[in-house]
Amino acid sequence: MSVTGVTRRVAELSSAALCAEDAEASGVHAQELVADPSRAVGLLGAPDVPLAAHHSVVQRFGGVGALLVIACEESWQRLNAPRVSGEATWADWLDEIHVHLAQLLHRFADISSQDMDCLVEAIERADGGSPGNEAATSRRWLHVTYAIAARDGTDEAHRAYVKAFHQVLALKRALVCT
């Protein structure tokens, strides 16, 4: 996996999920798939997992959902990939990213939006990104608030998402008007 491997994989998963049929309408429920992190690794990480499972999680939780799928895939591979003694695998070079992805997966059910934002930022930094500029920060916050709103379903969470959406739109308008 290259330095931007996670970012590229998020884009691939998101694109595929957006082009797919509504996975939850077909009976695949994202909330259930990620409810138990240990079980989620088997339900989302194995190579023979139906695409509808990935689509469901990404459709429901957006970019953070794609990170959850990647966390499951990476964890499954670490647990199940055959390893020759002394042979390095691509996962050996992703330890920092793996730690952050694993935290996101295991804490997803109850993590605060601020802590989730910090984890996603850490993943982006470990993947070689520079997530500190205003546009990157706003985009990341939009993804986080979207996932929290989908996870919690509260009015407060939805208001936070709408506020983040308006912030991103304001940044886009400023770019167009200059």
Side-chain angles (χ1 to χ4, degrees), residues 67-126:
L67 289 173
L68 293 171
V69 169
I70 293 166
C72 290
E73 291 174 337
E74 217 267 328
S75 293
W76 190 92
Q77 186 164 10
R78 282 176 174 263
L79 291 170
N80 297 289
R83 192 172 200 172
V84 176
S85 180
E87 179 182 299
T89 66
W90 67 268
D92 293 330
W93 291 281
L94 292 176
D95 284 342
E96 183 180 0
I97 291 174
H98 175 73
V99 168
H100 299 310
L101 287 168
Q103 284 182 2
L104 180 63
L105 176 62
H106 289 278
R107 296 179 60 202
F108 181 72
D110 58 6
I111 192 170
S112 71
S113 53
Q114 289 78 17
D115 287 345
M116 185 183 292
D117 184 58
C118 288
L119 271 176
V120 173
E121 180 180 18
I123 292 165
E124 289 175 356
R125 284 190 194 286

CSV table of all heavy atoms in Angstrom, one decimal, residues 67-126:
chain,number,residue,atom,x,y,z
A,67,LEU,N,-13.6,4.1,6.4
A,67,LEU,CA,-12.5,3.9,7.3
A,67,LEU,C,-12.8,2.6,8.2
A,67,LEU,O,-11.9,1.9,8.4
A,67,LEU,CB,-12.2,5.1,8.2
A,67,LEU,CG,-11.6,6.3,7.4
A,67,LEU,CD1,-11.5,7.5,8.4
A,67,LEU,CD2,-10.2,5.9,6.9
A,68,LEU,N,-14.0,2.5,8.6
A,68,LEU,CA,-14.4,1.3,9.3
A,68,LEU,C,-14.2,0.0,8.5
A,68,LEU,O,-13.7,-1.0,9.0
A,68,LEU,CB,-15.8,1.4,9.8
A,68,LEU,CG,-16.1,2.5,10.9
A,68,LEU,CD1,-17.6,2.6,11.1
A,68,LEU,CD2,-15.4,2.2,12.2
A,69,VAL,N,-14.6,0.0,7.3
A,69,VAL,CA,-14.4,-1.1,6.4
A,69,VAL,C,-12.9,-1.4,6.2
A,69,VAL,O,-12.5,-2.6,6.3
A,69,VAL,CB,-15.1,-0.9,5.0
A,69,VAL,CG1,-14.7,-2.0,4.0
A,69,VAL,CG2,-16.6,-0.8,5.1
A,70,ILE,N,-12.1,-0.4,6.0
A,70,ILE,CA,-10.7,-0.5,5.9
A,70,ILE,C,-10.1,-1.1,7.2
A,70,ILE,O,-9.2,-2.0,7.2
A,70,ILE,CB,-10.0,0.8,5.5
A,70,ILE,CG1,-10.4,1.2,4.1
A,70,ILE,CG2,-8.5,0.7,5.6
A,70,ILE,CD1,-10.1,2.6,3.8
A,71,ALA,N,-10.6,-0.6,8.3
A,71,ALA,CA,-10.1,-1.2,9.6
A,71,ALA,C,-10.4,-2.6,9.7
A,71,ALA,O,-9.5,-3.4,10.2
A,71,ALA,CB,-10.8,-0.4,10.8
A,72,CYS,N,-11.6,-3.0,9.3
A,72,CYS,CA,-11.9,-4.5,9.3
A,72,CYS,C,-11.1,-5.3,8.4
A,72,CYS,O,-10.6,-6.4,8.7
A,72,CYS,CB,-13.4,-4.6,9.0
A,72,CYS,SG,-14.5,-4.0,10.3
A,73,GLU,N,-10.9,-4.8,7.2
A,73,GLU,CA,-10.1,-5.5,6.2
A,73,GLU,C,-8.6,-5.7,6.7
A,73,GLU,O,-8.1,-6.8,6.6
A,73,GLU,CB,-10.1,-4.8,4.8
A,73,GLU,CG,-11.4,-4.8,4.1
A,73,GLU,CD,-11.4,-3.9,2.8
A,73,GLU,OE1,-10.5,-3.0,2.7
A,73,GLU,OE2,-12.2,-4.2,2.0
A,74,GLU,N,-8.1,-4.6,7.2
A,74,GLU,CA,-6.7,-4.6,7.7
A,74,GLU,C,-6.6,-5.5,8.9
A,74,GLU,O,-5.6,-6.3,9.0
A,74,GLU,CB,-6.3,-3.2,8.0
A,74,GLU,CG,-4.9,-2.8,7.7
A,74,GLU,CD,-4.0,-3.1,8.9
A,74,GLU,OE1,-4.4,-2.9,10.0
A,74,GLU,OE2,-2.9,-3.4,8.6
A,75,SER,N,-7.5,-5.5,9.8
A,75,SER,CA,-7.5,-6.4,11.0
A,75,SER,C,-7.7,-7.8,10.6
A,75,SER,O,-7.0,-8.7,11.1
A,75,SER,CB,-8.6,-6.0,11.9
A,75,SER,OG,-8.3,-4.7,12.5
A,76,TRP,N,-8.6,-8.1,9.6
A,76,TRP,CA,-8.8,-9.5,9.2
A,76,TRP,C,-7.5,-10.0,8.5
A,76,TRP,O,-7.1,-11.1,8.8
A,76,TRP,CB,-9.9,-9.6,8.1
A,76,TRP,CG,-10.3,-11.0,7.8
A,76,TRP,CD1,-11.2,-11.7,8.4
A,76,TRP,CD2,-9.7,-11.8,6.8
A,76,TRP,NE1,-11.3,-13.0,7.9
A,76,TRP,CE2,-10.3,-13.1,6.9
A,76,TRP,CE3,-8.7,-11.6,5.9
A,76,TRP,CZ2,-10.0,-14.1,6.1
A,76,TRP,CZ3,-8.3,-12.7,5.1
A,76,TRP,CH2,-9.0,-13.9,5.2
A,77,GLN,N,-6.9,-9.2,7.7
A,77,GLN,CA,-5.6,-9.6,7.1
A,77,GLN,C,-4.5,-9.9,8.1
A,77,GLN,O,-3.8,-10.9,8.0
A,77,GLN,CB,-5.2,-8.6,6.0
A,77,GLN,CG,-4.0,-9.1,5.2
A,77,GLN,CD,-3.7,-8.3,4.0
A,77,GLN,OE1,-4.3,-7.2,3.8
A,77,GLN,NE2,-2.8,-8.8,3.2
A,78,ARG,N,-4.4,-9.0,9.1
A,78,ARG,CA,-3.4,-9.2,10.1
A,78,ARG,C,-3.7,-10.5,10.9
A,78,ARG,O,-2.7,-11.2,11.3
A,78,ARG,CB,-3.4,-8.1,11.1
A,78,ARG,CG,-2.7,-6.9,10.6
A,78,ARG,CD,-2.9,-5.7,11.6
A,78,ARG,NE,-2.1,-4.6,11.2
A,78,ARG,CZ,-0.8,-4.3,11.7
A,78,ARG,NH1,-0.3,-5.1,12.6
A,78,ARG,NH2,-0.2,-3.3,11.2
A,79,LEU,N,-4.9,-10.8,11.1
A,79,LEU,CA,-5.3,-12.1,11.8
A,79,LEU,C,-5.2,-13.3,11.0
A,79,LEU,O,-4.9,-14.4,11.6
A,79,LEU,CB,-6.7,-12.0,12.4
A,79,LEU,CG,-7.0,-10.9,13.5
A,79,LEU,CD1,-8.4,-10.8,13.7
A,79,LEU,CD2,-6.2,-11.3,14.7
A,80,ASN,N,-5.4,-13.2,9.7
A,80,ASN,CA,-5.5,-14.4,8.9
A,80,ASN,C,-4.4,-14.6,7.8
A,80,ASN,O,-4.4,-15.7,7.2
A,80,ASN,CB,-6.9,-14.4,8.2
A,80,ASN,CG,-8.0,-14.6,9.3
A,80,ASN,OD1,-8.1,-15.6,9.9
A,80,ASN,ND2,-8.7,-13.5,9.5
A,81,ALA,N,-3.7,-13.6,7.5
A,81,ALA,CA,-2.7,-13.8,6.4
A,81,ALA,C,-1.6,-14.7,6.8
A,81,ALA,O,-1.0,-14.6,7.9
A,81,ALA,CB,-2.1,-12.4,6.1
A,82,PRO,N,-1.3,-15.7,6.0
A,82,PRO,CA,-0.1,-16.5,6.3
A,82,PRO,C,1.1,-15.7,6.3
A,82,PRO,O,1.3,-14.8,5.5
A,82,PRO,CB,-0.2,-17.6,5.2
A,82,PRO,CG,-1.0,-17.0,4.1
A,82,PRO,CD,-1.9,-15.9,4.7
A,83,ARG,N,2.0,-16.1,7.2
A,83,ARG,CA,3.3,-15.3,7.3
A,83,ARG,C,4.4,-16.3,7.4
A,83,ARG,O,4.4,-17.2,8.2
A,83,ARG,CB,3.2,-14.5,8.5
A,83,ARG,CG,4.2,-13.4,8.6
A,83,ARG,CD,3.9,-12.5,9.8
A,83,ARG,NE,4.6,-11.3,9.6
A,83,ARG,CZ,4.5,-10.3,10.3
A,83,ARG,NH1,3.6,-10.2,11.2
A,83,ARG,NH2,5.2,-9.2,10.0
A,84,VAL,N,5.4,-16.0,6.6
A,84,VAL,CA,6.6,-16.8,6.6
A,84,VAL,C,7.5,-16.1,7.7
A,84,VAL,O,7.7,-14.9,7.7
A,84,VAL,CB,7.3,-16.8,5.2
A,84,VAL,CG1,8.7,-17.6,5.3
A,84,VAL,CG2,6.4,-17.4,4.2
A,85,SER,N,8.1,-16.9,8.5
A,85,SER,CA,9.0,-16.4,9.6
A,85,SER,C,10.0,-15.4,9.0
A,85,SER,O,10.7,-15.7,8.0
A,85,SER,CB,9.7,-17.5,10.3
A,85,SER,OG,10.5,-17.0,11.3
A,86,GLY,N,10.0,-14.2,9.6
A,86,GLY,CA,11.0,-13.2,9.1
A,86,GLY,C,10.6,-12.4,7.9
A,86,GLY,O,11.2,-11.5,7.6
A,87,GLU,N,9.5,-12.8,7.3
A,87,GLU,CA,9.0,-12.1,6.1
A,87,GLU,C,8.2,-10.9,6.5
A,87,GLU,O,7.2,-11.0,7.3
A,87,GLU,CB,8.2,-13.0,5.2
A,87,GLU,CG,7.7,-12.4,3.9
A,87,GLU,CD,6.9,-13.4,3.1
A,87,GLU,OE1,7.4,-14.4,2.7
A,87,GLU,OE2,5.7,-13.1,2.9
A,88,ALA,N,8.4,-9.8,5.9
A,88,ALA,CA,7.7,-8.6,6.2
A,88,ALA,C,6.4,-8.5,5.3
A,88,ALA,O,6.5,-9.0,4.2
A,88,ALA,CB,8.5,-7.3,6.0
A,89,THR,N,5.4,-8.0,5.8
A,89,THR,CA,4.1,-7.8,5.0
A,89,THR,C,3.9,-6.3,4.9
A,89,THR,O,4.4,-5.5,5.7
A,89,THR,CB,2.9,-8.5,5.6
A,89,THR,OG1,2.6,-7.9,6.9
A,89,THR,CG2,3.2,-10.0,5.8
A,90,TRP,N,2.9,-5.9,4.0
A,90,TRP,CA,2.6,-4.5,3.9
A,90,TRP,C,2.1,-4.0,5.3
A,90,TRP,O,2.2,-2.8,5.6
A,90,TRP,CB,1.6,-4.3,2.8
A,90,TRP,CG,0.3,-4.9,3.0
A,90,TRP,CD1,-0.2,-6.1,2.6
A,90,TRP,CD2,-0.8,-4.3,3.7
A,90,TRP,NE1,-1.5,-6.3,3.0
A,90,TRP,CE2,-1.9,-5.2,3.6
A,90,TRP,CE3,-1.1,-3.0,4.3
A,90,TRP,CZ2,-3.1,-4.9,4.2
A,90,TRP,CZ3,-2.3,-2.8,4.8
A,90,TRP,CH2,-3.3,-3.7,4.8
A,91,ALA,N,1.4,-4.8,6.0
A,91,ALA,CA,0.8,-4.4,7.3
A,91,ALA,C,1.9,-3.9,8.3
A,91,ALA,O,1.7,-3.1,9.2
A,91,ALA,CB,0.0,-5.5,7.9
A,92,ASP,N,3.1,-4.5,8.2
A,92,ASP,CA,4.2,-4.1,9.1
A,92,ASP,C,4.6,-2.6,8.9
A,92,ASP,O,5.0,-2.0,9.9
A,92,ASP,CB,5.5,-4.9,8.8
A,92,ASP,CG,5.3,-6.4,9.1
A,92,ASP,OD1,4.5,-6.7,10.0
A,92,ASP,OD2,5.9,-7.2,8.5
A,93,TRP,N,4.3,-2.0,7.8
A,93,TRP,CA,4.6,-0.6,7.6
A,93,TRP,C,3.4,0.3,7.9
A,93,TRP,O,3.6,1.5,7.9
A,93,TRP,CB,5.0,-0.4,6.1
A,93,TRP,CG,6.4,-1.0,5.9
A,93,TRP,CD1,7.6,-0.5,6.2
A,93,TRP,CD2,6.6,-2.3,5.2
A,93,TRP,NE1,8.6,-1.4,5.8
A,93,TRP,CE2,8.0,-2.5,5.2
A,93,TRP,CE3,5.8,-3.2,4.6
A,93,TRP,CZ2,8.6,-3.6,4.6
A,93,TRP,CZ3,6.4,-4.4,4.1
A,93,TRP,CH2,7.8,-4.5,4.1
A,94,LEU,N,2.3,-0.3,8.3
A,94,LEU,CA,1.1,0.5,8.6
A,94,LEU,C,0.8,0.5,10.0
A,94,LEU,O,-0.3,0.8,10.4
A,94,LEU,CB,-0.1,-0.1,7.8
A,94,LEU,CG,0.0,0.1,6.3
A,94,LEU,CD1,-1.2,-0.5,5.6
A,94,LEU,CD2,0.0,1.6,5.9
A,95,ASP,N,1.7,0.2,10.9
A,95,ASP,CA,1.4,0.1,12.3
A,95,ASP,C,0.7,1.3,12.9
A,95,ASP,O,-0.3,1.2,13.6
A,95,ASP,CB,2.6,-0.3,13.1
A,95,ASP,CG,3.1,-1.7,13.0
A,95,ASP,OD1,2.2,-2.5,12.5
A,95,ASP,OD2,4.2,-2.0,13.3
A,96,GLU,N,1.2,2.5,12.6
A,96,GLU,CA,0.6,3.7,13.1
A,96,GLU,C,-0.9,3.8,12.6
A,96,GLU,O,-1.8,4.1,13.3
A,96,GLU,CB,1.4,4.9,12.7
A,96,GLU,CG,0.8,6.2,13.3
A,96,GLU,CD,1.6,7.4,13.0
A,96,GLU,OE1,2.7,7.3,12.3
A,96,GLU,OE2,1.2,8.5,13.4
A,97,ILE,N,-1.0,3.7,11.3
A,97,ILE,CA,-2.4,3.7,10.7
A,97,ILE,C,-3.3,2.6,11.3
A,97,ILE,O,-4.4,2.9,11.7
A,97,ILE,CB,-2.4,3.6,9.2
A,97,ILE,CG1,-1.7,4.8,8.6
A,97,ILE,CG2,-3.8,3.4,8.6
A,97,ILE,CD1,-1.5,4.8,7.1
A,98,HIS,N,-2.7,1.4,11.5
A,98,HIS,CA,-3.5,0.3,12.0
A,98,HIS,C,-4.0,0.7,13.4
A,98,HIS,O,-5.2,0.4,13.8
A,98,HIS,CB,-2.7,-1.0,12.0
A,98,HIS,CG,-3.5,-2.1,12.7
A,98,HIS,ND1,-4.5,-2.7,12.1
A,98,HIS,CD2,-3.3,-2.6,13.9
A,98,HIS,CE1,-5.0,-3.6,12.9
A,98,HIS,NE2,-4.3,-3.6,14.0
A,99,VAL,N,-3.2,1.2,14.2
A,99,VAL,CA,-3.5,1.6,15.6
A,99,VAL,C,-4.7,2.5,15.6
A,99,VAL,O,-5.7,2.3,16.3
A,99,VAL,CB,-2.3,2.2,16.4
A,99,VAL,CG1,-2.8,2.8,17.7
A,99,VAL,CG2,-1.3,1.1,16.6
A,100,HIS,N,-4.6,3.6,14.8
A,100,HIS,CA,-5.7,4.5,14.7
A,100,HIS,C,-7.0,3.9,14.1
A,100,HIS,O,-8.1,4.2,14.6
A,100,HIS,CB,-5.3,5.8,13.9
A,100,HIS,CG,-4.1,6.5,14.4
A,100,HIS,ND1,-4.0,6.9,15.8
A,100,HIS,CD2,-3.0,6.9,13.9
A,100,HIS,CE1,-2.9,7.5,16.0
A,100,HIS,NE2,-2.2,7.5,14.8
A,101,LEU,N,-6.9,3.1,13.1
A,101,LEU,CA,-8.0,2.5,12.5
A,101,LEU,C,-8.7,1.5,13.5
A,101,LEU,O,-9.9,1.5,13.6
A,101,LEU,CB,-7.7,1.7,11.2
A,101,LEU,CG,-7.3,2.5,10.0
A,101,LEU,CD1,-6.7,1.6,8.9
A,101,LEU,CD2,-8.6,3.2,9.5
A,102,ALA,N,-7.9,0.8,14.2
A,102,ALA,CA,-8.4,-0.1,15.2
A,102,ALA,C,-9.1,0.6,16.3
A,102,ALA,O,-10.2,0.2,16.8
A,102,ALA,CB,-7.3,-1.0,15.8
A,103,GLN,N,-8.6,1.7,16.8
A,103,GLN,CA,-9.3,2.6,17.8
A,103,GLN,C,-10.6,3.1,17.3
A,103,GLN,O,-11.6,3.0,18.0
A,103,GLN,CB,-8.4,3.8,18.2
A,103,GLN,CG,-7.2,3.5,19.1
A,103,GLN,CD,-6.4,4.7,19.4
A,103,GLN,OE1,-6.8,5.8,19.0
A,103,GLN,NE2,-5.4,4.5,20.2
A,104,LEU,N,-10.6,3.5,16.0
A,104,LEU,CA,-11.9,4.0,15.4
A,104,LEU,C,-12.9,2.9,15.4
A,104,LEU,O,-14.1,3.1,15.8
A,104,LEU,CB,-11.6,4.5,14.0
A,104,LEU,CG,-12.9,5.1,13.3
A,104,LEU,CD1,-13.4,6.3,14.0
A,104,LEU,CD2,-12.5,5.4,11.8
A,105,LEU,N,-12.5,1.7,15.0
A,105,LEU,CA,-13.4,0.6,14.9
A,105,LEU,C,-13.9,0.2,16.3
A,105,LEU,O,-15.1,0.0,16.5
A,105,LEU,CB,-12.8,-0.6,14.3
A,105,LEU,CG,-13.6,-1.9,14.3
A,105,LEU,CD1,-14.8,-1.7,13.4
A,105,LEU,CD2,-12.7,-3.0,13.7
A,106,HIS,N,-13.1,0.1,17.3
A,106,HIS,CA,-13.4,-0.4,18.6
A,106,HIS,C,-14.1,0.7,19.5
A,106,HIS,O,-14.9,0.4,20.4
A,106,HIS,CB,-12.2,-0.9,19.4
A,106,HIS,CG,-11.7,-2.2,18.8
A,106,HIS,ND1,-12.3,-3.4,19.1
A,106,HIS,CD2,-10.8,-2.5,17.9
A,106,HIS,CE1,-11.7,-4.4,18.5
A,106,HIS,NE2,-10.8,-3.8,17.7
A,107,ARG,N,-14.0,2.0,19.1
A,107,ARG,CA,-14.6,3.0,19.9
A,107,ARG,C,-15.8,3.7,19.1
A,107,ARG,O,-16.5,4.5,19.7
A,107,ARG,CB,-13.6,4.1,20.2
A,107,ARG,CG,-12.4,3.6,21.1
A,107,ARG,CD,-11.4,4.7,21.4
A,107,ARG,NE,-12.1,5.8,22.1
A,107,ARG,CZ,-11.6,7.1,22.0
A,107,ARG,NH1,-10.4,7.3,21.4
A,107,ARG,NH2,-12.2,8.1,22.7
A,108,PHE,N,-16.1,3.2,17.9
A,108,PHE,CA,-17.1,3.9,17.1
A,108,PHE,C,-18.4,4.0,17.8
A,108,PHE,O,-19.1,5.0,17.6
A,108,PHE,CB,-17.2,3.1,15.8
A,108,PHE,CG,-18.2,3.8,14.9
A,108,PHE,CD1,-18.0,5.0,14.2
A,108,PHE,CD2,-19.5,3.2,14.6
A,108,PHE,CE1,-18.9,5.6,13.4
A,108,PHE,CE2,-20.4,3.8,13.8
A,108,PHE,CZ,-20.1,5.0,13.2
A,109,ALA,N,-18.9,3.0,18.5
A,109,ALA,CA,-20.2,3.0,19.1
A,109,ALA,C,-20.4,4.2,20.1
A,109,ALA,O,-21.6,4.6,20.2
A,109,ALA,CB,-20.5,1.7,19.8
A,110,ASP,N,-19.4,4.6,20.7
A,110,ASP,CA,-19.6,5.6,21.8
A,110,ASP,C,-18.6,6.8,21.8
A,110,ASP,O,-18.6,7.6,22.7
A,110,ASP,CB,-19.6,5.0,23.1
A,110,ASP,CG,-18.3,4.2,23.4
A,110,ASP,OD1,-17.4,4.3,22.6
A,110,ASP,OD2,-18.3,3.6,24.5
A,111,ILE,N,-17.8,6.9,20.7
A,111,ILE,CA,-16.8,7.9,20.7
A,111,ILE,C,-17.4,9.3,20.4
A,111,ILE,O,-18.4,9.4,19.7
A,111,ILE,CB,-15.7,7.6,19.6
A,111,ILE,CG1,-14.5,8.6,19.7
A,111,ILE,CG2,-16.3,7.7,18.2
A,111,ILE,CD1,-13.4,8.2,18.8
A,112,SER,N,-16.9,10.3,21.0
A,112,SER,CA,-17.5,11.7,20.8
A,112,SER,C,-17.0,12.2,19.4
A,112,SER,O,-16.1,11.7,18.8
A,112,SER,CB,-17.0,12.7,21.9
A,112,SER,OG,-15.6,12.9,21.7
A,113,SER,N,-17.7,13.2,18.9
A,113,SER,CA,-17.4,13.7,17.6
A,113,SER,C,-16.0,14.3,17.6
A,113,SER,O,-15.2,14.2,16.6
A,113,SER,CB,-18.4,14.7,17.1
A,113,SER,OG,-18.6,15.7,18.1
A,114,GLN,N,-15.6,15.0,18.7
A,114,GLN,CA,-14.3,15.6,18.8
A,114,GLN,C,-13.2,14.5,18.8
A,114,GLN,O,-12.2,14.6,18.1
A,114,GLN,CB,-14.1,16.4,20.1
A,114,GLN,CG,-14.9,17.7,20.0
A,114,GLN,CD,-16.4,17.5,20.3
A,114,GLN,OE1,-16.9,16.5,20.8
A,114,GLN,NE2,-17.2,18.5,19.9
A,115,ASP,N,-13.4,13.4,19.5
A,115,ASP,CA,-12.4,12.3,19.6
A,115,ASP,C,-12.3,11.6,18.2
A,115,ASP,O,-11.3,11.2,17.8
A,115,ASP,CB,-12.7,11.3,20.7
A,115,ASP,CG,-12.4,11.9,22.1
A,115,ASP,OD1,-11.7,12.9,22.1
A,115,ASP,OD2,-12.9,11.3,23.0
A,116,MET,N,-13.5,11.5,17.6
A,116,MET,CA,-13.5,10.8,16.2
A,116,MET,C,-12.7,11.7,15.3
A,116,MET,O,-12.0,11.2,14.4
A,116,MET,CB,-14.9,10.6,15.7
A,116,MET,CG,-15.0,9.8,14.4
A,116,MET,SD,-16.6,9.6,13.8
A,116,MET,CE,-17.4,8.5,15.0
A,117,ASP,N,-12.9,13.0,15.3
A,117,ASP,CA,-12.2,13.9,14.4
A,117,ASP,C,-10.7,13.8,14.7
A,117,ASP,O,-10.0,13.8,13.7
A,117,ASP,CB,-12.7,15.4,14.7
A,117,ASP,CG,-12.1,16.4,13.7
A,117,ASP,OD1,-12.3,16.2,12.5
A,117,ASP,OD2,-11.4,17.3,14.2
A,118,CYS,N,-10.3,13.7,15.9
A,118,CYS,CA,-8.9,13.5,16.2
A,118,CYS,C,-8.3,12.2,15.6
A,118,CYS,O,-7.2,12.2,15.0
A,118,CYS,CB,-8.6,13.6,17.7
A,118,CYS,SG,-8.8,15.2,18.4
A,119,LEU,N,-9.1,11.2,15.7
A,119,LEU,CA,-8.6,9.9,15.1
A,119,LEU,C,-8.6,9.9,13.6
A,119,LEU,O,-7.6,9.5,13.0
A,119,LEU,CB,-9.6,8.8,15.6
A,119,LEU,CG,-9.3,8.1,16.9
A,119,LEU,CD1,-10.3,7.0,17.2
A,119,LEU,CD2,-7.9,7.4,16.8
A,120,VAL,N,-9.6,10.5,13.0
A,120,VAL,CA,-9.6,10.6,11.5
A,120,VAL,C,-8.4,11.5,11.1
A,120,VAL,O,-7.7,11.2,10.1
A,120,VAL,CB,-10.9,11.1,11.0
A,120,VAL,CG1,-10.9,11.4,9.5
A,120,VAL,CG2,-12.0,10.1,11.3
A,121,GLU,N,-8.2,12.6,11.8
A,121,GLU,CA,-7.0,13.4,11.5
A,121,GLU,C,-5.7,12.6,11.6
A,121,GLU,O,-4.8,12.7,10.8
A,121,GLU,CB,-7.0,14.7,12.4
A,121,GLU,CG,-5.8,15.6,12.1
A,121,GLU,CD,-5.8,16.8,12.9
A,121,GLU,OE1,-6.4,16.8,14.0
A,121,GLU,OE2,-5.0,17.8,12.5
A,122,ALA,N,-5.6,11.8,12.7
A,122,ALA,CA,-4.4,11.0,12.9
A,122,ALA,C,-4.2,10.0,11.7
A,122,ALA,O,-3.1,9.8,11.3
A,122,ALA,CB,-4.4,10.3,14.2
A,123,ILE,N,-5.3,9.5,11.3
A,123,ILE,CA,-5.2,8.5,10.2
A,123,ILE,C,-4.7,9.2,8.9
A,123,ILE,O,-3.9,8.8,8.2
A,123,ILE,CB,-6.6,7.8,9.9
A,123,ILE,CG1,-6.9,6.9,11.1
A,123,ILE,CG2,-6.6,7.1,8.6
A,123,ILE,CD1,-8.4,6.5,11.1
A,124,GLU,N,-5.3,10.4,8.7
A,124,GLU,CA,-4.9,11.2,7.5
A,124,GLU,C,-3.4,11.6,7.6
A,124,GLU,O,-2.7,11.5,6.6
A,124,GLU,CB,-5.7,12.5,7.4
A,124,GLU,CG,-7.2,12.2,7.0
A,124,GLU,CD,-8.1,13.4,6.9
A,124,GLU,OE1,-7.6,14.5,7.3
A,124,GLU,OE2,-9.2,13.3,6.6
A,125,ARG,N,-2.9,12.0,8.7
A,125,ARG,CA,-1.5,12.3,8.9
A,125,ARG,C,-0.6,11.1,8.7
A,125,ARG,O,0.4,11.2,8.0
A,125,ARG,CB,-1.3,12.9,10.3
A,125,ARG,CG,-1.7,14.3,10.4
A,125,ARG,CD,-1.2,14.9,11.7
A,125,ARG,NE,-1.9,16.2,12.0
A,125,ARG,CZ,-1.7,17.3,11.4
A,125,ARG,NH1,-0.8,17.4,10.5
A,125,ARG,NH2,-2.4,18.4,11.8
A,126,ALA,N,-1.0,10.0,9.3
A,126,ALA,CA,-0.2,8.8,9.1
A,126,ALA,C,-0.2,8.3,7.7
A,126,ALA,O,0.7,7.6,7.3
A,126,ALA,CB,-0.8,7.7,10.1
